[in-house]
Amino acid sequence: MELKWLLCVTLLALGILAVQAHDMDEDNDADDVVDIEDDLDDGIEEVEESKSETSSPPPAPKVAYRAPVPTGEVYFAESFDKGTLDGWILSRAKKDDTDDEIAKYDGKWEVQEMKETKLPGDKGLVMVTRAKHHAISSKLHKPFVFDTKPLIIQYEVNFQNGIECGGAYVKLLSKIPELNLDQFHDKTPYTIMFGPDKCGEDYKLHFIFRHKNPKTGKYEEKHAKRPDADLKSYFTDKKTHLYTLVLNPDNSFEILVDQTVVNSGNLLNDMSPPVNPPREIEDPNDQKPEDWDERPKIPDPDAVKPDDWDEDAPAKIADENAVKPEGWLDDEPEYVADPDAEKPEDWDEDMDGEWEAPQIANPKCEAAPGCGTWQRPMIDNPNYKGKWKPPMIDNVNYQGIWKPRKIPNPDFFEDLEPFKMTPVSAVGLELWSMTSDIFFDNFIICSDRAVADDWASDGWGLKKAADGAAEPGVVGQMMAAAEERPWLWVVYILTVALPVFLVILFCCSGKKQPSAAEYKKTDAPQPDVVDDEKEEEKDKGEKEEEEEEEDANEEKLEKQKNDADLGSASQEEEEDEEEEDRKHASEEEETVNRSPRNRKPRKD
C-alpha cells in the first residue's frame, strides 16, 4: 500500500516539476535567442542528416487550388476566380415604402479571397458592407424551362464574421419581358428562392416557389416545411458550407447541406399553404342557430342545497388547543432600531425628512420562542364547505360543437404538376444583413446530379480538404493548449498517466501465497502457517468423515439390495423344486398303474 501512495506522490511531483520547468523555459527564452540562432547555423546540417525522433513534425501538406470547370451541360456556372464582376449587374433601384436614406441598394459587393483562406487564389463574391440593401444579378447562359429535366441549384456560403440578422439566399428570377436587372429589387418576380436566413435565434433554410393559380392567374408563395435538422452550426462555425436544392419532374425535392440531406418532400404534400385548395370549404354565410346547445354538462335543476350547509363558515379557524409557549416575550417587539446606526452627515431633514435608524431583529428574541403579541395559529375549519353549487349532470339537449356546413369550393382547382413553374432566366442576390463580409462562391445551375457533384468536389471539396489539412490532430491540439496553459500538464498526468499506472500497479501487486522456501529453516512454523494448516486439516478431516459416511450408506444400500435379490432368487428356486417334485410323483404313480402286477385278473 505504501508503494502505491509513493507512486501517486511521485506522479504529482513530476507534474509540478513539468509546469515549473515550462515556466523557467519561458523566462529564459529572451536570454537564449542569440545562442539558439548561433547553434542553428552550426548544427543545421546535423539536423538534416540525423532527423532524430524528437524533431518537430513536418508541416501539414498544402492543397493546391484549381478553378472548377463544369463537366457537363450547365445553365449557369460562376467561380469568381477571374477576380472581376464581369457578367454581374449591380442594382440601382430603390425599395418602395422605405425612407430614402435606406431605400437605395447601395451595399458594396467585391470579389475577394476569404479572410482566413487555406486556398490561395480561390476567390468569391463578398457582401462587404452591413446594414445596407444589397442587390446583384446575372443572366443565365440559357433559360431553364421546367419540363422533363430536374433542376439543381448549388452554391457555397461562409459567414466569415458569424451572422446576427440577415440572409444569404439566392433567387431565380422569372423569365418575363419586363425583366430589368438594373432595377432588380425585392418586388422583382422570382420563381424560386433558396438558401439560409437567420434573425435572432431563428435559423432557417428557405425553399419557396411562386405558384400560378390557373383560375385567377395570380401567384402565391409556397413554403417548404421546416427541416428537422439543427441548422445552428452552419451559421456559427465560420466554415464554408455547400447548399444544394434538387427539384425533380415528379414533384419531389431534396435540400442538402454539405451533400447531406436535411429536408425532403413533395410539392403536392409538403408545402404551406398547399398547392391545391380543398374541394370543400365552410359556408361563410352559415350561422349557428340561437337554440343550439353546446353544453355537454349542465347543473342539476332538481338539486337542493342541504339545510346544514353553512356557506358563511370560514376556511380557517384559530386552534383552540394551542398554548402559548413558555418564555414568550409579549412586551418585546420583533424588530428594534439599530443602536449602532448613525445619521449620514449629508442628511438634510428639510429635504429628506426626519431620520430614522434602520430596523433590525430584536436580539432579545433570539433566545426566546417569540416576541410581540401571541396569537393562536390558524388551522383548517372541519366544518368549511364553501359556496354550494348544484352537481353537474349530462345535458339531454346537447347537440355537439356547432360547425358551419360545407359547400363546394368555388376557387377549387387541381394542379398535379406544380413542378412546371415559370421559366427562369437570371440568378440574383437581394439581401439585407447586419453582418458584413458574407462570402459566396461556386454557383451552378444544371440538370445532371453528377455534374453538380463534380463541381462541388472541385470547389467546396478542396476547401474542406484544405481546412482538414490545416487543422491539427487531437494530440496536437492538446499540446498547443498545454503550451498556452502549462497547468494542463498536471491535468493530463492525472487523467491519463495516473490511471494507467494505478491499473498496472493494482494488477501486478496482488497478495502472494508464502511458499515453503520462504519459511524459516527452523521447525517452528509461522503463526499464519499454523492457522492455515489447522484449517486445512480440519477441512480435510470433515471431508474424509463425509466421504466415509457416504461410503457406508452406499454399502448398506447395496447389501439390502443384494439380500432382496437373494431372497427372491431362493424363493423362485424353492417353487421350481416343488413343481419338479410334483411332476416326478405324478410320473411314478402313472408308471405303477401301468405295470402287469397291478392289473386285475381277467375272468374266463
Side-chain angles (χ1 to χ4, degrees):
M1 192 66 183
E2 294 178 356
L3 180 60
K4 298 174 184 177
W5 283 109
L6 181 60
L7 180 59
C8 295
V9 173
T10 303
L11 290 173
L12 289 174
L14 288 174
I16 296 172
L17 289 174
V19 175
Q20 291 178 349
H22 187 276
D23 292 339
M24 293 176 62
D25 292 341
E26 289 183 347
D27 294 338
N28 296 331
D29 280 348
D31 298 333
D32 295 342
V33 170
V34 176
D35 295 338
I36 291 173
E37 290 178 353
D38 295 339
D39 293 341
L40 283 174
D41 293 338
D42 297 336
I44 189 169
E45 293 180 359
E46 293 182 7
V47 173
E48 290 179 352
E49 293 175 0
S50 61
K51 289 187 179 181
S52 64
E53 293 181 358
T54 58
S55 62
S56 60
K62 293 184 178 180
V63 179
Y65 175 74
R66 292 186 307 170
V69 177
T71 58
E73 181 184 10
V74 298
Y75 297 88
F76 183 80
E78 177 63 82
S79 65
F80 301 101
D81 291 322
K82 295 180 181 178
T84 65
L85 286 174
D86 291 346
W88 291 83
I89 300 174
L90 295 172
S91 175
R92 294 186 291 108
K94 289 185 178 181
K95 284 180 71 78
D96 296 335
D97 305 326
T98 309
D99 294 339
D100 291 338
E101 296 179 359
I102 60 173
K104 294 181 180 179
Y105 284 90
D106 56 355
K108 289 185 63 178
W109 298 91
E110 293 183 3
V111 176
Q112 303 174 354
E113 292 185 1
M114 278 193 295
K115 293 180 179 179
E116 299 180 0
T117 183
K118 307 296 189 303
L119 288 174
D122 180 19
K123 297 181 176 63
L125 178 65
V126 179
M127 195 173 73
V128 179
T129 49
R130 61 180 296 274
K132 288 182 177 293
H133 293 291
H134 303 75
I136 191 171
S137 57
S138 179
K139 284 278 190 181
L140 302 187
H141 303 333
K142 58 180 179 179
F144 181 86
V145 179
F146 295 86
D147 46 21
T148 60
K149 294 182 179 180
L151 171 68
I152 301 174
I153 309 166
Q154 184 172 274
Y155 68 107
E156 302 168 15
V157 177
N158 186 310
F159 297 105
Q160 300 184 90
N161 299 330
I163 184 71
E164 295 178 13
C165 184
Y169 43 81
V170 62
K171 291 182 177 180
L172 297 189
L173 305 182
S174 302
K175 181 185 177 184
I176 54 175
E178 59 272 20
L179 179 62
N180 183 3
L181 300 183
D182 187 60
Q183 295 298 312
F184 174 38
H185 58 92
D186 59 324
K187 300 287 190 343
T188 301
Y190 70 89
T191 299
I192 290 176
M193 189 177 92
F194 167 67
D197 188 18
K198 183 249 183 183
C199 201
E201 290 300 313
D202 189 11
Y203 302 90
K204 299 179 181 178
L205 184 52
H206 291 297
F207 166 42
I208 306 171
F209 79 94
R210 294 172 71 242
H211 179 259
K212 184 179 181 180
N213 188 315
K215 275 196 166 186
T216 63
K218 294 181 179 180
Y219 286 88
E220 184 178 19
E221 290 183 350
K222 309 295 181 181
H223 296 247
K225 63 181 181 181
R226 293 179 70 97
D228 296 329
D230 184 9
L231 306 175
K232 183 176 181 179
S233 62
Y234 304 134
F235 295 83
T236 58
D237 60 7
K238 298 183 180 180
K239 295 182 178 180
T240 303
H241 294 288
L242 181 72
Y243 295 89
T244 308
L245 170 65
V246 180
L247 197 55
N248 297 307
D250 63 357
N251 300 321
S252 63
F253 68 87
E254 284 185 334
I255 298 174
L256 302 90
V257 180
D258 298 342
Q259 296 183 324
T260 299
V261 177
V262 298
N263 197 3
S264 62
N266 190 283
L267 299 179
L268 289 171
N269 305 322
D270 300 298
M271 308 301 291
S272 179
V275 171
N276 295 315
R279 291 180 179 274
E280 293 183 330
I281 60 172
E282 294 180 347
D283 186 356
N285 300 319
D286 193 14
Q287 295 181 352
K288 183 173 70 173
E290 295 181 357
D291 59 348
W292 189 276
D293 196 341
E294 294 182 333
R295 301 172 300 165
K297 298 280 187 178
I298 60 172
D300 185 357
D302 299 328
V304 179
K305 183 175 73 172
D307 295 336
D308 60 348
W309 192 286
D310 186 3
E311 294 184 346
D312 299 327
K316 296 281 186 180
I317 58 174
D319 186 2
E320 298 297 335
N321 297 324
V323 179
K324 181 171 69 174
E326 294 183 3
W328 189 279
L329 304 178
D330 295 274
D331 299 330
E332 290 291 338
E334 293 185 29
Y335 295 94
V336 296
D338 186 359
D340 299 328
E342 297 180 359
K343 183 173 69 173
E345 296 180 358
D346 58 349
W347 188 275
D348 187 348
E349 293 190 355
D350 295 334
M351 297 291 294
D352 303 324
E354 184 179 356
W355 180 82
E356 294 181 359
Q359 296 287 304
I360 62 172
N362 190 344
K364 296 180 180 180
C365 298
E366 294 181 358
C371 293
T373 303
W374 180 79
Q375 295 180 349
R376 296 179 185 276
M378 304 298 288
I379 61 174
D380 293 334
N381 183 2
N383 298 321
Y384 173 74
K385 297 183 178 179
K387 186 177 178 62
W388 182 84
K389 295 179 180 179
M392 303 298 288
I393 62 173
D394 292 335
N395 182 5
V396 296
N397 297 320
Y398 175 65
Q399 296 175 273
I401 304 301
W402 182 87
K403 294 180 180 179
R405 64 173 177 268
K406 296 283 189 177
I407 62 173
N409 185 359
D411 299 323
F412 173 75
F413 63 84
E414 189 174 35
D415 181 1
L416 299 179
E417 296 179 317
F419 171 78
K420 294 185 176 180
M421 308 174 191
T422 305
V424 296
S425 61
V427 58
L429 299 168
E430 186 268 317
L431 305 168
W432 165 278
S433 176
M434 294 302 296
T435 307
S436 61
D437 297 325
I438 300 177
F439 182 90
F440 300 86
D441 200 7
N442 294 330
F443 290 86
I444 189 171
I445 300 174
C446 62
S447 295
D448 191 339
R449 189 72 172 265
V451 173
D453 290 343
D454 291 342
W455 179 267
S457 178
D458 295 340
W460 174 77
L462 284 180
K463 290 186 178 71
K464 184 179 179 181
D467 290 340
E471 289 181 357
V474 176
V475 176
Q477 293 177 6
M478 293 175 65
M479 297 293 288
E483 291 294 327
E484 297 178 1
R485 294 174 287 276
W487 55 267
L488 286 175
W489 289 110
V490 179
V491 177
Y492 295 162
I493 292 174
L494 292 176
T495 57
V496 179
L498 182 59
V500 172
F501 277 100
L502 289 178
V503 169
I504 295 174
L505 183 64
F506 280 102
C507 291
C508 299
S509 62
K511 283 188 176 181
K512 295 182 179 179
Q513 294 296 334
S515 61
E518 293 177 349
Y519 292 159
K520 293 182 179 180
K521 294 184 178 180
T522 62
D523 294 335
Q526 297 292 335
D528 55 346
V529 175
V530 172
D531 295 338
D532 292 343
E533 288 179 352
K534 288 182 178 179
E535 290 182 2
E536 290 179 359
E537 290 177 359
K538 184 178 180 181
D539 294 341
K540 186 176 181 181
E542 292 177 354
K543 188 174 181 180
E544 289 177 354
E545 290 179 359
E546 291 177 357
E547 291 178 353
E548 291 177 357
E549 186 176 353
E550 289 178 359
D551 294 340
N553 292 333
E554 289 179 358
E555 291 177 359
K556 187 176 181 180
L557 293 173
E558 186 69 23
K559 185 176 182 181
Q560 291 177 354
K561 184 178 180 181
N562 293 335
D563 293 342
D565 294 341
L566 290 172
S568 60
S570 62
Q571 186 176 359
E572 290 177 358
E573 288 178 359
E574 291 176 356
E575 291 177 354
D576 293 341
E577 289 177 357
E578 291 177 358
E579 181 68 25
E580 190 171 349
D581 291 342
R582 285 195 297 269
K583 186 175 181 182
H584 283 299
S586 61
E587 289 178 354
E588 289 177 359
E589 184 178 356
E590 184 177 355
T591 303
V592 172
N593 292 334
R594 289 180 180 180
S595 65
R597 283 178 292 181
N598 291 337
R599 294 180 180 174
K600 291 180 179 182
R602 186 194 309 177
K603 291 181 180 183
D604 293 333

